[in-house]
Amino acid sequence: MSCLWWSFGIMSSATTIGFLVLYLVAFTTSSQIVLNSGWSLSNANATIGLTELSLPSGVYTALQNAGLTGSVLHSYNDVNLRWIALDNWTYFLNFSVTDEILASKYIILTFHGVDTIGQVHFNGVEQKSITTGKYELDNMFIRHRFNIKNLIMEPYFKSFSYLTVTLTSPVTAAKSLAQQYPTTPPECPPNVYNGECHMNFLRKMQASFSWDWGPAVPSSGLWKPVVLEYYNSVLIRDITVKLEENLEEDLWFIHMVVYIEAGSSVSDVRGTLRVILADFPGSENSFRVDDKTDNRGELALSLTVNVSRSDVELWWPNGYGKQKLYIVQVIFDPRDLPRTRGNSILHFRQEQAFKSIKIGFRTIELIQEETYANGKEGLSFYFRVNGVPIFMKGTNWIPASILPEKSFSAPRVKELLKAVKSSNMNMIRVWGGGVYEDDRFYDLTDTYGILIWHDLMFACAMYPVYPDFLNSVREEVHQNVRRIQSHPSVAIWATNNENEVALVQNWYHTGGDRARFEQEYRKLYIDVVKKEVEATDPWRECLSSSPSNGRQTEAEGWISKDPQDWHFGDIHYYNYDLDAWNPTIYPRPRFVSEYGFQSLPSLRALESTLLYSDNISQMIDHRQHSPLRNFPMTILIKRHLPLESLTGNPQEVLEAYIYFSQVSQAMAVKTETEVYRANRIGPMNTMGALYWQLSDVWVAPSWSSIEFNGNYKILQHWVKQFMAPLHIIPLVDSLKNLKIYVVRDTLGDNQEFTVRLHLHHWAGFDVKLEKSWSLDMEENTVVLLDTLNFVDIFGSEVMEKSGFLYFLLEDTSGRILSTNFIFPEKLKDAQGIANPYIDVVVASNRCSFSVSQISLEVKARAPAIFVYLQIYNTRIQTYTLSKNGYIQLEPIQMIRLEFENENCATVLQKSDIRILTINDYLKTTQ
């Protein structure tokens, strides 16, 4: 889950390689050298020395790549390799520069990300950051700039310079800081985490010190590029944008702030700033600039341009329309510059500063209007995009890797975000214990239409408020909000994850000094974080926390009596005491930004983490970081599935338990999500459901829907259906009344549908009873189609045990748009279940562009419950199936299997396919 103790509280090269070139285009196109290769690394006592390292880099990764250690994610290495985090490390680089660089007015050494506590020496001299005015680096989220012009111009260093970055153990640094300031809980994570203490004293990825879903990997390194920037005038660092639709003038106004940097403080900036809308011919606008930079060499220029509304195509979230993006180019042409090389083209290219961004024309509003529901006043809480109220369907995003230097792995991040899009989601929540993601991450969310609920990077703790900490936070927020702001996918900011509710509910035993912690909470999140967000991006909503009561929280002095009040804002909801397959247990709130249930990863994934001597059950126990252990999973399984019947081979028993856990997780998250979707027309007007969590950072029990190896759990296969834009939702209340809802999340004219209810007996495929409805449905709404009683359908409770209900939503041509099901009795108590004699045939095998596409023919003689296919083949590590964990109600079901196959070799055999069904573990009639 998102929080620690939720369960308790309830030489350098003049050329650059492709990766880093792509990275830096997002920053600026001024003249620069990316110092990405030729680094060396050593520890404090010089017992380890590595050479020829490339950036981005982290110490754990560097040692593994050199063959000195195994992966920190393998076996028990999260503990065995902790010595790496307890040592101090030094990165070193020799490099030389050209006469062209030396002739530049400014030569700036820029570190885009140092993890985390360190010092920079250039040519033996300790450097003071222009950014912070300090010698020590203490925040992995901050970009640091160093003016090295004078040092590099010394005669000895004109042909040879050297750069040293010394990094202090993050564990030691955190402990030292904690000893200097008042106790700020939680001091340490639960013992079951195998973690490290005082994460809250460091401005680094909070999950680095462990979480209930991840290992402690307290990283150090240069996790982003190091760049030598040289120029004679300025560079353009960032551009923020506000888009304003003016109906009266039939225009879109593009309000921009262009952030310019010079290489020294209080510098004259004279020239012309040109704005070109590349997609609109003749749209160039010019603005005269005659100003000075501030003490840090920075200058913010505000300007406005416009385009006709009729020329613009709107940007829409996934499922509602296209994601049209437009290019904005900003060019600064300086005046009165000294000429040292004549009028060469190269010379003028160097002087001109240029930056390009993409924007999407859309409006987004968080609507919080007074309402009266369930006998209590409250506030609505929903997003309106381009004037349309949109139900937010999605998930929570943790970093793609626990190692910061790998947190943007282009293939992995792209595959994860493609899964979000293809599963009909339209929002993710970037969770506050991770990192501010790479520019390319936001480019992808823009392209895919995935809106972002964006936490600032504070999670599950009280935080210190000494001046240096607050100053560092202020710079962190300023830089990152400014960098991310122009992306149309960013919907909202929240200053932290769960820290208000932790304070109010006394998670960390702060009640004895409540006044102090309330004061510090407001000082950090309201006076610093929220203030800085709103100064940089005044056009988006910034919530004081998540969960929170939204605008009501402000009315209560920024700390609510109950941050989980269903009548306001968003909530996080976890309940392991009740039956999660039962829809009646769930709240009907405004917006649910976290909820979820654990499951185990596949047996194959678990086996991939083991050494020969490791015991798989002990490994599961070691990696189960929830303080409640496997207890909630086991109890939920026992409620519905025949767990007690598992006997025999321990490997087969474990395989069945894993399968049951994934079925149980999928059913629970499906049920909860469908309750929230149906309650859009309830009195509380629920308008958002973001489950916890999308992916994993290692192979372990967790709340994820996608395993660490990239393979889908059953839940991820189901998400595509229960978050589909057209969906049928049957919900049963405590009196066995069946309410049938139809959801339409699309725009356009009314659509006609047919809804069918089929009564099946477990013994065969034939339909015992059919009932149908016709529906003429408006856009973007939910309809309660009908209410029935089980007795009227089944006739008796005895019959309820021998059958189940299957629902189909069809269009006018008979095409099935959505299906769903209801089990009137718990599966373990069902009667008359037949043996489906499940079998599979490899029907066809095609391969093109190094991707194999295989059609599998799954055969069954009777209804098969939650058919689960797994591929056991060492040459097929990651694969996708068109469906999995499904109910088979026909003799033959075609399944598409895809995987990368570089040589298009025939690798899959029938024996590689393992199929499980719930029928396998129940008493069958034949």
Side-chain angles (χ1 to χ4, degrees):
M1 294 184 292
S2 72
C3 221
L4 290 173
W5 289 321
W6 180 274
S7 53
F8 287 173
I10 263 214
M11 172 30 260
S12 79
S13 170
T15 60
T16 54
I17 62 173
F19 172 82
L20 290 168
V21 169
L22 287 173
Y23 188 99
L24 284 155
V25 163
F27 285 92
T28 178
T29 57
S30 65
S31 298
Q32 56 192 6
I33 296 177
V34 182
L35 304 177
N36 63 345
S37 60
W39 290 84
S40 63
L41 175 67
S42 61
N43 62 342
N45 61 10
T47 57
I48 295 175
L50 305 178
T51 59
E52 297 303 318
L53 299 181
S54 296
L55 304 187
S57 173
V59 176
Y60 280 98
T61 301
L63 294 178
Q64 180 188 346
N65 290 344
L68 298 182
T69 68
S71 168
V72 70
L73 305 179
H74 193 61
S75 188
Y76 293 90
N77 284 347
D78 59 307
V79 174
N80 295 339
L81 297 182
R82 194 64 54 82
W83 60 269
I84 297 173
L86 300 177
D87 209 340
N88 300 329
W89 297 87
T90 298
Y91 282 86
F92 180 84
L93 178 69
N94 285 321
F95 67 98
S96 60
V97 296
T98 64
D99 290 341
E100 176 186 319
I101 296 173
L102 293 173
S104 301
K105 181 178 180 180
Y106 302 120
I107 305 176
I108 307 296
L109 185 62
T110 300
F111 287 77
H112 287 289
V114 178
D115 182 15
T116 292
I117 306 296
Q119 297 81 36
V120 174
H121 288 75
F122 181 74
N123 290 340
V125 179
E126 187 173 8
Q127 297 298 294
K128 180 189 289 188
S129 170
I130 300 172
T131 306
T132 63
K134 295 169 53 180
Y135 286 98
E136 184 178 60
L137 312 185
D138 61 3
N139 189 322
M140 73 177 286
F141 306 124
I142 285 179
R143 176 183 61 255
H144 288 277
R145 303 169 66 231
F146 303 92
N147 190 340
I148 61 170
K149 171 74 173 181
N150 292 337
L151 280 174
I152 207 168
M153 290 299 293
E154 292 184 11
Y156 178 79
F157 296 120
K158 283 187 177 182
S159 59
F160 171 84
S161 290
Y162 62 95
L163 178 60
T164 305
V165 184
T166 304
L167 300 175
T168 303
S169 159
V171 177
T172 303
K175 182 178 179 180
S176 176
L177 287 167
Q179 291 172 343
Q180 296 176 46
Y181 298 100
T183 300
T184 306
E187 294 188 78
C188 297
N191 291 335
V192 71
Y193 285 20
N194 302 304
E196 296 292 348
C197 302
H198 310 299
M199 67 165 192
N200 47 346
F201 276 85
L202 293 188
R203 290 312 300 143
K204 71 182 269 99
M205 181 199 294
Q206 297 291 270
S208 291
F209 276 35
S210 75
W211 222 264
D212 54 6
W213 42 259
V217 186
S219 53
S220 294
L222 303 179
W223 75 292
K224 288 187 175 183
V226 178
V227 183
L228 196 65
E229 299 172 330
Y230 58 98
Y231 48 97
N232 292 316
S233 177
V234 298
L235 60 81
I236 301 171
R237 182 67 70 185
D238 295 303
I239 302 170
T240 60
V241 176
K242 177 194 176 184
L243 298 170
E244 179 189 358
E245 188 178 24
N246 189 304
L247 299 179
E248 291 183 2
E249 299 185 42
D250 200 30
L251 294 172
W252 276 97
F253 289 100
I254 308 172
H255 305 287
M256 307 169 63
V257 180
V258 180
Y259 292 89
I260 285 177
E261 290 178 0
S264 61
S265 62
V266 195
S267 299
D268 289 327
V269 180
R270 297 189 182 98
T272 301
L273 196 67
R274 293 185 288 135
V275 179
I276 301 172
L277 306 178
D279 301 278
F280 302 94
S283 65
E284 181 171 333
N285 295 264
S286 297
F287 303 85
R288 183 181 178 88
V289 179
D290 193 349
D291 213 328
K292 293 181 181 293
T293 60
D294 61 17
N295 291 332
R296 300 199 315 176
E298 297 183 355
L299 173 64
L301 300 172
S302 299
L303 52 96
T304 299
V305 298
N306 61 70
V307 295
S308 171
R309 288 179 63 245
S310 61
D311 293 336
V312 166
E313 183 177 339
L314 294 178
W315 184 97
W316 288 95
N318 183 34
Y320 284 83
K322 296 180 181 180
Q323 290 77 48
K324 176 65 176 178
L325 297 170
Y326 294 87
I327 298 172
V328 178
Q329 299 170 337
V330 179
I331 304 167
F332 179 75
D333 297 310
R335 297 195 310 275
D336 303 325
L337 287 169
R339 295 182 178 181
T340 58
R341 297 186 62 191
N343 294 322
S344 69
I345 295 175
L346 177 63
H347 171 75
F348 284 108
R349 283 182 178 171
Q350 288 181 344
E351 304 303 339
Q352 190 179 69
F354 173 88
K355 185 174 178 65
S356 175
I357 63 172
K358 291 183 178 181
I359 63 173
F361 288 90
R362 61 105 180 97
T363 61
I364 187 163
E365 308 159 273
L366 177 62
I367 306 301
Q368 299 183 75
E369 297 173 335
E370 293 182 2
T371 66
Y372 189 83
N374 296 337
K376 183 177 178 179
E377 293 181 351
L379 294 173
S380 65
F381 191 92
Y382 66 92
F383 292 90
R384 191 160 61 195
V385 182
N386 299 328
V388 177
I390 291 182
F391 189 100
M392 296 301 166
K393 305 171 292 186
T395 186
N396 281 254
W397 177 274
I398 63 172
S401 175
I402 199 65
L403 297 163
E405 68 275 10
K406 292 185 176 182
S407 61
F408 190 89
S409 165
R412 177 169 174 78
V413 170
K414 186 172 184 179
E415 286 304 311
L416 289 173
L417 291 177
K418 282 173 63 178
V420 171
K421 178 180 175 63
S422 64
S423 298
N424 299 306
M425 303 186 216
N426 56 30
M427 177 174 274
I428 56 173
R429 175 170 172 255
V430 174
W431 167 75
V435 298
Y436 304 94
E437 295 288 341
D438 185 274
D439 291 339
R440 293 166 294 174
F441 172 89
Y442 303 101
D443 290 340
L444 286 170
T445 56
D446 290 346
T447 300
Y448 293 157
I450 304 166
L451 288 166
I452 299 175
W453 174 307
H454 209 306
D455 288 356
L456 283 298
M457 294 302 121
F458 302 86
C460 302
M462 304 298 103
Y463 283 83
V465 292
Y466 57 89
D468 280 353
F469 187 89
L470 293 180
N471 288 336
S472 183
V473 166
R474 189 176 288 109
E475 181 65 24
E476 166 194 328
V477 175
H478 174 69
Q479 284 191 18
N480 285 284
V481 172
R482 205 175 73 175
R483 174 175 65 88
I484 297 166
Q485 188 276 342
S486 64
H487 291 274
S489 54
V490 179
I492 192 171
W493 304 102
T495 72
N496 68 79
N497 170 78
E498 299 185 349
N499 293 341
E500 180 192 3
V501 69
L503 177 58
V504 172
Q505 296 182 359
N506 198 29
W507 290 6
Y508 309 126
H509 310 292
T510 53
D513 201 358
R514 175 72 178 264
R516 170 203 157 190
F517 288 109
E518 284 193 359
Q519 180 186 24
E520 292 180 350
Y521 179 93
R522 294 185 181 98
K523 190 172 186 178
L524 174 59
Y525 298 116
I526 307 307
D527 297 345
V528 175
V529 178
K530 193 172 193 296
K531 181 179 180 181
E532 191 61 47
V533 171
E534 292 175 344
T536 307
D537 187 11
W539 311 293
R540 284 187 182 90
E541 192 83 31
C542 179
L543 300 173
S544 59
S545 184
S546 177
S548 82
N549 290 342
R551 205 171 69 213
Q552 179 65 18
T553 299
E554 180 177 2
E556 296 184 37
W558 298 114
I559 299 175
S560 302
K561 294 178 182 178
D562 179 11
Q564 292 272 55
D565 190 329
W566 299 358
H567 294 78
F568 305 92
D570 67 311
I571 69 166
H572 296 183
Y573 186 78
Y574 297 90
N575 188 331
Y576 301 137
D577 296 326
L578 302 177
D579 180 4
W581 293 29
N582 181 353
T584 66
I585 75 162
Y586 294 108
R588 269 64 173 172
R590 304 292 186 183
F591 196 108
V592 193
S593 52
E594 267 196 40
Y595 59 97
F597 298 86
Q598 274 200 341
S599 68
L600 291 178
S602 66
L603 182 61
R604 182 181 176 191
L606 286 165
E607 290 173 342
S608 71
T609 70
L610 304 177
L611 294 176
Y612 181 78
S613 58
D614 290 340
N615 177 279
I616 193 168
S617 296
Q618 293 174 354
M619 182 61 68
I620 292 171
D621 187 61
H622 171 72
R623 296 187 174 211
Q624 174 54 279
H625 284 187
S626 169
L628 297 179
R629 315 301 289 157
N630 291 334
F631 183 74
M633 266 194 300
T634 301
I635 292 299
L636 187 56
I637 290 169
K638 283 184 175 180
R639 291 182 189 272
H640 291 272
L641 302 174
L643 186 61
E644 293 87 347
S645 68
L646 299 182
T647 58
N649 185 303
Q651 188 89 341
E652 293 179 354
V653 171
L654 176 59
E655 181 183 46
Y657 183 85
I658 292 169
Y659 169 49
F660 285 178
S661 78
Q662 290 202 17
V663 167
S664 194
Q665 177 198 35
M667 276 295 297
V669 176
K670 169 185 178 294
T671 301
E672 187 168 359
T673 305
E674 291 179 340
V675 167
Y676 299 146
R677 293 192 72 184
N679 197 56
R680 177 172 181 170
I681 57 172
M684 300 294 285
N685 184 214
T686 304
M687 286 295 286
L690 311 178
Y691 73 86
W692 185 270
Q693 70 207 64
L694 180 66
S695 60
D696 278 323
V697 296
W698 68 336
V699 179
S702 85
W703 293 259
S704 74
S705 58
I706 300 179
E707 297 181 357
F708 178 64
N709 58 16
N711 291 329
Y712 289 7
K713 292 181 178 178
I714 291 175
L715 171 57
Q716 186 62 40
H717 284 282
W718 286 21
V719 168
K720 186 173 185 178
Q721 174 105 335
F722 65 70
M723 289 193 178
L726 297 168
H727 189 42
I728 182 168
I729 300 175
L731 298 176
V732 180
D733 65 18
S734 58
L735 300 176
K736 291 191 174 182
N737 290 314
L738 172 66
K739 294 185 177 182
I740 304 171
Y741 297 86
V742 179
V743 179
R744 181 187 172 193
D745 284 345
T746 59
L747 303 179
D749 296 335
N750 283 17
Q751 288 185 275
E752 295 182 6
F753 303 112
T754 298
V755 176
R756 302 188 190 279
L757 179 156
H758 288 174
L759 169 59
H760 288 271
H761 285 177
W762 288 117
F765 292 131
D766 55 319
V767 177
K768 300 299 181 180
L769 173 70
E770 178 176 339
K771 185 175 177 61
S772 63
W773 298 260
S774 295
L775 177 63
D776 185 21
M777 195 169 185
E778 296 180 351
E779 65 176 3
N780 198 36
T781 190
V782 178
V783 171
L784 175 57
L785 182 67
D786 205 348
T787 300
L788 306 173
N789 190 275
F790 271 10
V791 174
D792 297 331
I793 301 171
F794 290 94
S796 70
E797 291 187 3
V798 173
M799 294 302 294
E800 290 176 18
K801 293 186 176 182
S802 62
F804 68 100
L805 300 180
Y806 199 73
F807 300 84
L808 303 95
L809 179 66
E810 301 174 352
D811 62 15
T812 54
S813 68
R815 181 168 60 101
I816 297 174
L817 305 173
S818 172
T819 63
N820 214 330
F821 55 86
I822 285 286
F823 303 137
E825 292 289 338
K826 296 177 179 180
L827 283 175
K828 67 178 184 179
D829 298 328
Q831 296 177 357
I833 290 181
N835 186 341
Y837 295 99
I838 207 84
D839 192 19
V840 63
V841 173
V842 179
S844 67
N845 188 341
R846 294 182 301 164
C847 186
S848 59
F849 301 103
S850 299
V851 175
S852 280
Q853 296 179 324
I854 296 176
S855 293
L856 303 177
E857 210 174 73
V858 181
K859 299 180 178 181
R861 300 183 190 177
I865 311 169
F866 302 145
V867 179
Y868 178 49
L869 290 80
Q870 298 178 87
I871 307 301
Y872 285 86
N873 185 308
T874 57
R875 290 175 291 181
I876 307 173
Q877 295 297 320
T878 303
Y879 57 88
T880 59
L881 293 161
S882 56
K883 64 192 305 184
N884 209 2
Y886 64 93
I887 298 175
Q888 183 155 335
L889 291 177
E890 55 276 318
I892 296 177
Q893 175 71 59
M894 300 303 297
I895 304 292
R896 186 180 66 259
L897 166 68
E898 290 189 6
F899 56 90
E900 290 188 6
N901 187 355
E902 185 176 352
N903 298 318
C904 282
T906 302
V907 297
L908 183 73
Q909 306 295 325
K910 178 179 177 178
S911 57
D912 297 331
I913 306 169
R914 172 90 162 111
I915 302 181
L916 299 177
T917 70
I918 298 297
N919 307 56
D920 301 335
Y921 306 98
L922 295 170
K923 187 180 295 184
T924 58
T925 58
Q926 50 181 296

